[in-house]
Amino acid sequence: TKLFGGGPMEGTFRLASRSDLWGAEVGAWRNLDRDENSSWDLLLGLRNLNLEEEVDVRYASRQDLPGAAFGAFAQDRFSTVSRFYGLQVGSRFRLDEGPWSLNLLGKVGLGAMVRTVRIDGNGGAFDELDPDVPAATDYGVFALPGNIGTHTDVGFAVVPEVRLSFGYQVTRRLRVTVGYDFLYASGAARAADQIDTEVQTSGAIPAGFSRTLDDYLRFIGPTGTTSADDDVRESGFWTHGLDVGVELAF
């Protein structure tokens, strides 16, 4: 609760985010060494990796005063798409000792990361004592005319991946496995990184007004910008996980 103009102001804040990762690869394996208990293979191929993210922020505030009420709402949406295309090389090693087995896989992709950032926003305000307050805007709080739109660039990226797994032959037909996988991608565009929290207003806020959402919607005009430029902000992305499997042979 904030005090604004002598009365309490109530507001809500909602943030939703999502992150989707998928990819595809094709390659050929060549055996380098093999004996009764081990094998060593070399990989050469192509890899594609896709990372899509979105951050959606919604704000709303309202203040009730004797004989009047005013309030505002706004929405900022930052979405990113990072697509990697590159050449991939790797190696895998397998060792069998009795019912136990060890598998080690390492791969690295070198290529281009195509990054696309989309920023849009909207908002609205009402004030029973001020009819000049805009009823609707095509910008939000951090999504402003200075950064709204679609921005794309391309850069070099490296995508390494390591996988380690163990297996145990329970019976002649039944086998269980447990594995760990780690993947990293450089030069990705992350949705949260594109948000610039330093807002520059296009007009001075009068004395006595606190910097609430209502103020921004009232005083940030069509020339309002953020301090960010058109460059896509890039950073690394990594993910890892455990998996358990059961193999049944017929």
Side-chain angles (χ1 to χ4, degrees):
T1 302
K2 279 193 173 184
L3 294 179
F4 183 87
M9 173 171 285
E10 297 180 351
T12 59
F13 172 86
R14 175 183 176 271
L15 185 147
S17 64
R18 68 173 180 86
S19 181
D20 300 318
L21 176 70
W22 75 97
E25 54 186 293
V26 59
W29 291 96
R30 180 179 176 82
N31 180 254
L32 300 179
D33 186 41
R34 183 188 302 272
D35 58 29
E36 293 182 357
N37 299 321
S38 65
S39 65
W40 180 27
D41 303 311
L42 179 68
L43 167 69
L44 180 63
L46 301 173
R47 177 155 201 171
N48 165 249
L49 192 68
N50 304 276
L51 173 65
E52 292 190 1
E53 293 188 325
E54 182 177 276
V55 174
D56 186 284
V57 188
R58 303 186 182 191
Y59 326 77
S61 62
R62 177 185 176 89
Q63 182 178 27
D64 293 308
L65 298 174
F70 65 88
F73 67 89
Q75 179 180 10
D76 296 325
R77 183 182 296 110
F78 295 79
S79 60
T80 58
V81 178
S82 301
R83 303 194 189 280
F84 172 80
Y85 305 92
L87 177 70
Q88 180 171 254
V89 295
S91 180
R92 66 183 176 188
F93 175 77
R94 179 183 175 93
L95 177 65
D96 296 306
E97 288 290 343
W100 295 94
S101 66
L102 166 69
N103 288 272
L104 178 61
L105 170 66
K107 301 181 290 184
V108 59
L110 305 172
M113 184 74 77
V114 182
R115 300 175 287 256
T116 302
V117 177
R118 296 183 179 88
I119 303 174
D120 63 82
N122 62 79
F126 69 91
D127 188 337
E128 294 180 355
L129 299 180
D130 186 356
D132 294 330
V133 172
T137 66
D138 56 359
Y139 50 87
V141 176
F142 298 112
L144 297 172
N147 61 0
I148 282 178
T150 301
H151 315 278
T152 302
D153 73 357
V154 181
F156 177 76
V158 180
V159 180
E161 181 178 5
V162 177
R163 175 174 173 77
L164 175 66
S165 65
F166 297 92
Y168 183 78
Q169 196 73 38
V170 182
T171 67
R172 186 169 64 90
R173 298 184 180 275
L174 180 63
R175 177 184 179 82
V176 295
T177 62
V178 58
Y180 172 78
D181 189 274
F182 177 86
L183 180 143
Y184 175 83
S186 69
R190 310 298 305 276
D193 292 341
Q194 314 307 315
I195 302 175
D196 188 346
T197 57
E198 295 184 7
V199 178
Q200 301 171 357
T201 61
S202 60
I205 297 180
F209 278 56
S210 60
R211 288 179 174 269
T212 62
L213 175 61
D214 298 49
D215 295 331
Y216 284 124
L217 289 179
R218 187 191 301 255
F219 294 105
I220 296 177
T223 60
T225 63
T226 66
S227 60
D229 51 27
D230 290 335
D231 292 339
V232 175
R233 299 178 180 178
E234 62 179 83
S235 61
F237 169 85
W238 62 271
T239 182
H240 66 141
L242 291 172
D243 61 81
V244 177
V246 176
E247 300 176 6
L248 185 62
F250 294 94

